[in-house]
Amino acid sequence: MVGETRSSSPIGSEGNLMHAYRTHNCSQLRSEDVGHIVRLAGWVYRKRDHGNLLFVDLRDHYGVTQVVVDRDSEAFAVTEGLKLESVIRIEGRVTSRGAEAVNPHLPTGEIEVRAVAVELLSEAAELPLPVFGNTDYPEDVRLKYRFLDLRREKLHANMVLRSQVIASLRRRMIDAGFTEFQTPILTASSPEGARDFLVPSRLHHGKFYALPQAPQMFKQLLMVAGFDRYFQIAPCFRDEDARADRSPGEFYQLDFEMSFVTQEDVFAAIEPVLYGVFDEFSKGRTVTPPPFPRIAYKDAMLRYGSDKPDLRNPLEIVDVTEVFQGGPFAVFAKAIESGSVVRAIPAPKAGTMARSFFDSTNQWARDEGFAGLAYINFKGGEGGGIAKNLGPERVAQLVGKMKLGPNDGVFFACDKPANAAKLAGMARTRVAQELDLIEKNSFRFCWIVDFPMYEWDELEQRVVFSHNPFSMPQGEMDALLHKDPLEILAYQYDIVCNGIELSSGAIRNHKPEIMYKAFEIAGYDQSVVDEKFRGMINAFKFGAPPHGGSAPGVDRIVMLLADEPNIREVILFPMNQKAEDLMMGAPSNVTEKQLRELRIAIVGQPKP
RNA sequence: GGGGUCGUAGCUCAAUUGGUUAGAGCACCGGACUGUCGAUCCGGAGGUUGCGGGUUCGAGACCCGUCGACCUCGCCA
């Protein structure tokens, strides 16, 4: 078990005892080594005490080797007193295990080392967190003793996987002609997007640096500087609240940008990289081969009720507004008159399931804050639920439109378009989970394309950028001048895998006059653009190539490959949900002297 | 900031649903055992049931408050 996921040894196998701590690592010895005197070092993983015979499972990064000490050995006394997770060095002879004593679960299971000397290098206190076994432990204990947690098999393997994935991404990007550059960490705050992490300036009273939310403007400047294809495993910082798939504070992206490209060129460049790295670490899971399906944002919202659809889920939502429009089912017919739509979620072969399945799904929708989910359950072609209210003609129309089988079920979400899509999307996921329809052991990629450039902000009652303000609007200046802003699409795209948004990207707006116009529509005048995006807008006045790129999230890629539901499982030293590092004690107070130098005063009474 | 779940030994969990002295496994300490690999067997120590208040003859359980963790909404161009 241990050792299989870990890389092989860097240590020579000559068996000489020149090295102070070890001649071999703990995953290295085999039957061929029987008879050699060896030296090993590592942690006491398990100890089995038979009174006159002791077994120690000695563990290091590479694996586990069984060490045996019997009563006659001078090493017996010290070994007997060893505590778990203490660090020891042992010296002894490699011996063959008897046929009945071979451990087939261990790469080193055919041998063991009979210790003649055991030295305690570092004693371990009683553990707050057992290293052996696969039990789950509370997050706060795990984070506080992260170094112990990282010794554990699963987490240790995850971090090795992470390193291998990053190495693979780097190699594939370089092979594809990209050049890696480092962009600044201390930079300027930007008005759009997430909340910035600010860093006070000592030399400039009252001014602040910001940590980059992404190297967005720098990578575009690299294109203006003529580097053609850039990438970076880029640290990004956003002061937003955490989620299971969103680390608070900081995360990494495979940030890349390309010159003289269309949207399709960007897709063609990154698809083989993502396919390649997912295939490399798939462990038998299937991966969507390039080209990945392209789905327009509008279609995604209609068919999947989400702009990050999980294509492992075979269910598709159908708009059935016309089936209900002006019909006898008054609740829906009335709602449609005032602008609602009806979206139907099929539940294949669920018609014969207990009524509780339908009722509990309806109750779930209500608990989620929606009006509820109406349903029809077909049994041998006979419709229950709201079928009677709807009448046979319209039911037949529905069956035809959705190609429903004689024992299928179907749910209906009726609401204003945005809410109906959201509920239908959530119901699609829930129904597929309940019916166990979600494909296993696969990575299903797609592109979501044609995002709207702008959207209407109800709260502020104005047009705002819906995603990235630096995207090129489809139709360029002509569209900005002549179309309804809410109808304008952008050359903007997301990569989605198994319902997880891996990245967003865009063909950028590289023309100053279009940039000014685009910002004007969102309510920023030229001076704001000049001030806030000075570096970039200025550069665009001196010959900017058409360019575009994207930035897949590295943590999320590793999460998918490691099959971990929580992003902290693939990060070495993550912060907790409140953005605290429990091990290092961050954030922390600073000295008065530090604050004085920065001319910063703490206002109000901070919590102790 | 809102909502949800949870909080019992160092760790994982239990406590017949309000009833005697809060139990078990792992870890720890002591003892037995020469072939285990989650070793086994015997014994020991370990608890302000997160904290504060309330209801009750009686609270780990019920109520109120509070603290903390996680999940989630808002937020994340």
Side-chain angles (χ1 to χ4, degrees):
Chain A
M1 299 277 270
V2 173
E4 286 172 6
T5 54
R6 298 178 185 185
S7 49
S8 60
S9 154
I11 297 171
S13 56
E14 297 82 37
N16 70 56
L17 297 176
M18 294 299 286
H19 192 277
Y21 294 113
R22 53 188 179 182
T23 58
H24 299 74
N25 70 41
C26 292
S27 179
Q28 208 171 359
L29 295 168
R30 296 291 185 275
S31 305
E32 305 88 86
D33 301 299
V34 167
H36 290 136
I37 302 292
V38 297
R39 189 176 281 161
L40 298 176
W43 287 261
V44 177
Y45 198 31
R46 296 294 281 180
K47 203 176 79 178
R48 292 175 293 280
D49 184 346
H50 289 239
N52 290 313
L53 181 72
L54 296 168
F55 296 96
V56 171
D57 289 341
L58 189 65
R59 184 197 76 244
D60 65 8
H61 172 72
Y62 307 95
V64 172
T65 299
Q66 176 166 283
V67 176
V68 194
V69 186
D70 71 25
R71 178 63 78 182
D72 306 333
S73 169
E74 287 178 20
F76 191 83
V78 59
T79 310
E80 201 175 23
L82 285 176
K83 292 190 172 68
L84 294 187
E85 292 305 310
S86 293
V87 174
I88 59 172
R89 174 179 64 178
I90 69 110
E91 205 174 301
R93 183 179 297 279
V94 181
T95 57
S96 188
R97 297 201 197 181
E100 70 290 341
V102 164
N103 184 343
H105 302 296
L106 226 50
T108 61
E110 292 190 351
I111 58 91
E112 62 195 4
V113 177
R114 297 210 152 247
V116 293
V118 172
E119 185 186 350
L120 179 61
L121 298 179
S122 173
E123 184 169 38
E126 187 174 350
L127 300 170
L129 177 78
V131 170
F132 187 84
N134 288 315
T135 319
D136 270 332
Y137 298 99
E139 195 90 45
D140 46 351
V141 175
R142 295 182 56 201
L143 292 177
K144 185 169 178 188
Y145 298 96
R146 191 64 166 177
F147 44 88
L148 287 179
D149 204 16
L150 286 166
R151 286 182 196 172
R152 307 181 75 223
E153 193 173 345
K154 184 74 200 278
L155 212 47
H156 204 91
N158 282 357
M159 297 312 149
V160 171
L161 172 68
R162 181 189 177 101
S163 171
Q164 290 169 342
V165 166
I166 290 175
S168 176
L169 286 171
R170 238 189 205 111
R171 181 171 50 73
R172 289 170 192 280
M173 292 302 282
I174 291 168
D175 288 350
F178 287 85
T179 311
E180 183 167 19
F181 292 107
Q182 284 72 50
T183 51
I185 300 300
L186 291 174
T187 180
S189 180
S190 75
E192 287 282 327
R195 193 177 293 112
D196 280 321
F197 273 102
L198 298 176
V199 180
S201 161
R202 176 179 59 84
L203 295 174
H204 301 275
H205 184 198
K207 294 190 176 179
F208 294 83
Y209 304 95
L211 305 182
Q213 296 178 25
Q216 179 71 35
M217 276 189 267
F218 291 112
K219 70 173 171 180
Q220 295 194 235
L221 289 167
L222 286 170
M223 296 302 99
V224 179
F227 288 105
D228 203 73
R229 289 186 161 203
Y230 141 92
F231 86 100
Q232 178 179 198
I233 308 295
C236 304
F237 306 88
R238 293 176 193 177
D239 189 3
E240 297 293 351
D241 288 356
R243 290 288 182 278
D245 65 349
R246 203 168 79 202
S247 187
E250 56 185 79
F251 59 98
Y252 283 82
Q253 291 184 333
L254 169 61
D255 192 48
F256 72 94
E257 195 77 4
M258 309 162 71
S259 286
F260 305 110
V261 288
T262 64
Q263 186 167 294
E264 282 298 322
D265 296 323
V266 175
F267 293 2
I270 199 65
E271 279 177 348
V273 173
L274 288 177
Y275 172 79
V277 84
F278 272 79
D279 186 55
E280 180 179 349
F281 299 101
S282 64
K283 296 200 183 102
R285 292 165 287 186
T286 60
V287 186
T288 307
F292 301 158
R294 281 86 158 126
I295 303 169
Y297 171 83
K298 213 175 137 191
D299 292 339
M301 295 309 289
L302 185 65
R303 277 152 58 194
Y304 308 107
S306 166
D307 60 358
K308 37 186 179 181
D310 186 347
L311 296 186
R312 294 173 304 170
N313 179 344
L315 302 182
E316 286 202 18
I317 298 159
V318 178
D319 187 292
V320 295
T321 308
E322 58 178 48
V323 175
F324 287 88
Q325 193 160 25
F329 190 50
V331 190
F332 279 18
K334 267 189 194 153
I336 291 166
E337 273 173 39
S338 56
S340 286
V341 295
V342 182
R343 301 280 161 83
I345 305 97
K349 299 188 173 62
T352 51
M353 287 178 74
R355 181 172 165 171
S356 61
F357 166 72
F358 292 90
D359 287 340
S360 69
T361 306
N362 180 34
Q363 188 54 48
W364 158 83
R366 298 172 81 92
D367 291 344
E368 292 287 332
F370 296 94
L373 281 167
Y375 65 86
I376 295 176
N377 52 331
F378 290 96
K379 290 181 182 171
E382 204 60 33
I386 62 163
K388 290 173 197 71
N389 311 56
L390 195 56
E393 204 168 300
R394 287 171 188 260
V395 169
Q397 196 186 339
L398 178 81
V399 168
K401 196 172 169 77
M402 297 190 67
K403 301 183 180 67
L404 293 172
N407 292 306
D408 285 358
V410 56
F411 289 95
F412 304 100
C414 177
D415 208 325
K416 295 289 183 324
N419 270 338
K422 189 175 175 193
L423 173 56
M426 289 166 68
R428 170 180 177 263
T429 302
R430 185 185 157 94
V431 168
Q433 279 167 353
E434 297 272 324
L435 300 178
D436 196 23
L437 298 175
I438 298 183
E439 189 181 317
K440 291 170 186 70
N441 299 316
S442 65
F443 295 111
R444 296 287 297 263
F445 280 92
C446 64
W447 291 99
I448 306 300
V449 299
D450 297 340
F451 277 88
M453 186 81 193
Y454 301 99
E455 64 191 22
W456 182 251
D457 189 315
E458 280 293 336
L459 219 63
E460 298 189 32
Q461 288 290 303
R462 66 180 185 97
V463 170
V464 297
F465 286 114
S466 81
H467 290 81
N468 186 327
F470 306 120
S471 309
M472 182 65 92
Q474 294 184 21
E476 304 199 2
M477 189 60 115
D478 187 57
L480 294 183
L481 288 172
H482 301 118
K483 288 183 92 167
D484 173 358
L486 299 177
E487 296 292 316
I488 300 170
L489 301 178
Y491 285 115
Q492 176 140 6
Y493 36 83
D494 283 2
I495 301 171
V496 175
C497 179
N498 292 2
I500 289 179
E501 181 190 323
L502 280 187
S503 75
S504 25
I507 296 299
R508 320 296 174 186
N509 183 344
H510 67 286
K511 296 178 178 170
E513 66 276 17
I514 302 180
M515 185 89 82
Y516 288 132
K517 184 67 192 170
F519 273 85
E520 185 192 314
I521 291 171
Y524 300 90
D525 67 31
Q526 184 162 339
S527 64
V528 175
V529 180
D530 281 336
E531 185 193 345
K532 292 299 181 186
F533 309 111
R534 185 189 303 157
M536 202 169 65
I537 198 86
N538 197 34
F540 287 174
K541 292 171 180 168
F542 294 94
H547 60 284
S550 186
V554 170
D555 311 271
R556 286 185 182 173
I557 290 174
V558 180
M559 228 174 124
L560 282 166
L561 289 170
D563 197 22
E564 289 286 1
N566 192 301
I567 203 161
R568 286 185 294 273
E569 302 300 314
V570 299
I571 295 176
L572 275 173
F573 300 106
M575 296 198 283
N576 68 6
Q577 194 179 40
K578 282 164 59 186
E580 296 167 313
D581 182 334
L582 296 176
M583 194 178 57
M584 302 299 286
S588 62
N589 295 316
V590 295
T591 63
E592 282 299 323
K593 178 168 179 284
Q594 287 172 301
L595 290 175
R596 266 200 311 277
E597 281 179 341
L598 295 165
R599 287 183 270 189
I600 284 181
I602 308 293
V603 178
Q605 199 56 46
K607 275 199 209 172

